[in-house]
Amino acid sequence: MAEAQARQRGGHTEDVSAERLAESGLRFEVDGEIATITLDRPDKRNAQTFATWSALAGIGDSLPEQVRVVVVKGEGPSFSAGIDLRMFTPEGVPGQGSFSSVARSGDTDFEHNIRKAQAGFLWLRRPEIVSIAAVHGHAIGAGFQLALSCDLRIVADDVTFCMKEPALGLVPDLTGTKPLVELVGLAKAVDICLTARMVHAEEALRIGLAEQVVARDDLDRAVRDKAAELLSTNRDAAAATKRLLQGARARTLEEQSVAEGLEQAVRIKALFGG
Ligand code: ACO
């Protein structure tokens, strides 16, 4: 096991000591090529704050280079009940303000804060890693979006997804709308978001939101098995293939064919170039 420490990459410094992470409601463990992020405020159903998102970004910035698989899971009865509802009160979250204080800030500050929060979610798509959300119980709002930030979702049969934001007068802004549309299609995404309805395990599997549904007690094992399968392929080829797959939707067939050839040239040189 290794513990991430404060480190600087790309000009951004974030304290990701175990103590700081615990204050932000997270645990982070690295075991060889697998890193596990655990949302760890079970008594509050792993509600998330700005500190949680900042700490997530810090983990992304300081991720050890050997890591190839990142698992995101939740402690206790729920994966995550979404944003900490204290943000909606005048008092807010101690030390982190409230939406009232956010609303009073200038537009530039507001956009800056949202971008900072989104940074905690965006890095989970990096080509060098495969991220797996192990989702059980509730994944509501920001919890749903965190699960959507991961490449794969393996879920327990007790799972309930809910995009609650529109019911609260908000939009989902933690990078979840694009993966949702790409996974389930525009019509189903409109249905799920604009009704803020519950999506349970059977439907999640059927519409492509979940890759696999297992019994609650089997979730950890299923995630471990998937991680082992993912680690069985060549590291550099896996990253190059993920880059290709991620870019496929935005390219024409011709452009994608060219991109395949370019990536393959790098692979062939690496494997047989002497
Ligand atoms: N923020 C802060 N505290 C929360 C949150 C939250 N999002 N969700 C639950 N808690 C707290 C409860 O206040 C309660 O605290 P207490 O024991 O001090 O009273 C504790 O967690 C347990 O909550 P219960 O409601 O008793 O747990 P239960 O398992 O019955 O229900 C559920 C879980 C369904 C997740 C429910 O707590 C819930 O609906 N939470 C709010 C969900 C929500 O609206 N999130 C915002 C989405 S929008 C967004 O994320 C941007």
Side-chain angles (χ1 to χ4, degrees):
M1 297 274 193
E3 183 184 285
Q5 295 296 329
R7 198 182 297 187
Q8 185 157 10
R9 193 188 282 183
H12 174 78
T13 304
E14 184 69 39
D15 177 5
V16 285
S17 62
E19 191 183 16
R20 176 76 183 84
L21 290 178
E23 285 166 14
S24 311
L26 293 176
R27 291 202 317 269
F28 178 59
E29 286 144 353
V30 177
D31 185 0
E33 295 173 299
I34 303 175
T36 303
I37 298 170
T38 307
L39 300 164
D40 194 21
R41 284 179 74 210
D43 54 324
K44 298 295 176 194
R45 302 298 181 264
N46 301 323
Q48 304 172 32
T49 65
F50 276 106
T52 316
W53 302 328
S54 184
L56 280 172
I59 291 173
D61 284 341
S62 60
L63 195 71
E65 276 182 15
Q66 83 266 15
V67 170
R68 289 184 61 191
V69 173
V70 176
V71 176
V72 183
K73 59 190 278 197
E75 193 67 60
S78 292
F79 177 75
S80 173
I83 196 168
D84 192 316
L85 292 174
R86 288 177 301 172
M87 282 296 291
F88 296 96
T89 65
E91 302 76 32
V93 177
Q96 298 184 51
S98 66
F99 279 127
S100 307
S101 50
V102 170
R104 283 195 301 273
S105 68
D107 285 350
T108 316
D109 284 354
F110 182 63
E111 279 161 33
H112 175 71
N113 284 336
I114 290 189
R115 292 301 293 166
K116 263 180 77 179
Q118 290 169 338
F121 295 66
L122 285 168
W123 68 270
L124 289 160
R125 285 93 164 179
R126 267 185 214 153
E128 297 76 26
I129 58 168
V130 178
S131 49
I132 307 174
V135 194
H136 74 284
H138 294 95
I140 302 181
F144 190 178
Q145 295 192 69
L146 183 57
L148 284 166
S149 302
C150 293
D151 296 308
L152 308 176
R153 279 146 298 281
I154 299 180
V155 308
D157 52 9
D158 68 348
V159 83
T160 301
F161 292 101
C162 172
M163 201 64 92
K164 186 85 174 279
E165 285 84 343
L168 300 172
L170 300 170
V171 299
D173 66 346
L174 294 168
T175 79
T177 54
K178 186 171 169 66
L180 183 65
V181 170
E182 289 176 353
L183 286 167
V184 306
L186 178 59
K188 189 60 75 183
V190 167
D191 168 25
I192 289 170
C193 294
L194 275 62
T195 61
R197 69 177 175 83
M198 310 276 190
V199 177
H200 300 288
E202 181 276 324
E203 182 182 6
L205 184 66
R206 180 162 42 81
I207 66 178
L209 203 50
E211 276 62 48
Q212 201 180 339
V213 179
V214 298
R216 173 73 188 89
D217 288 347
D218 291 337
L219 186 57
D220 286 346
R221 186 193 47 74
V223 170
R224 270 199 309 276
D225 289 351
K226 183 55 70 184
E229 278 182 67
L230 289 163
L231 293 176
S232 71
T233 56
N234 176 283
R235 167 190 283 265
D236 295 328
T241 303
K242 186 171 165 187
R243 269 195 303 275
L244 276 173
L245 296 173
Q246 285 179 317
R249 218 181 279 261
R251 296 190 195 106
T252 64
L253 180 59
E254 180 56 28
E255 289 164 346
Q256 183 72 0
S257 308
V258 170
E260 288 174 2
L262 291 172
E263 290 283 11
Q264 195 69 306
V266 176
R267 300 304 320 132
I268 299 287
K269 272 185 201 138
L271 290 172
F272 308 108

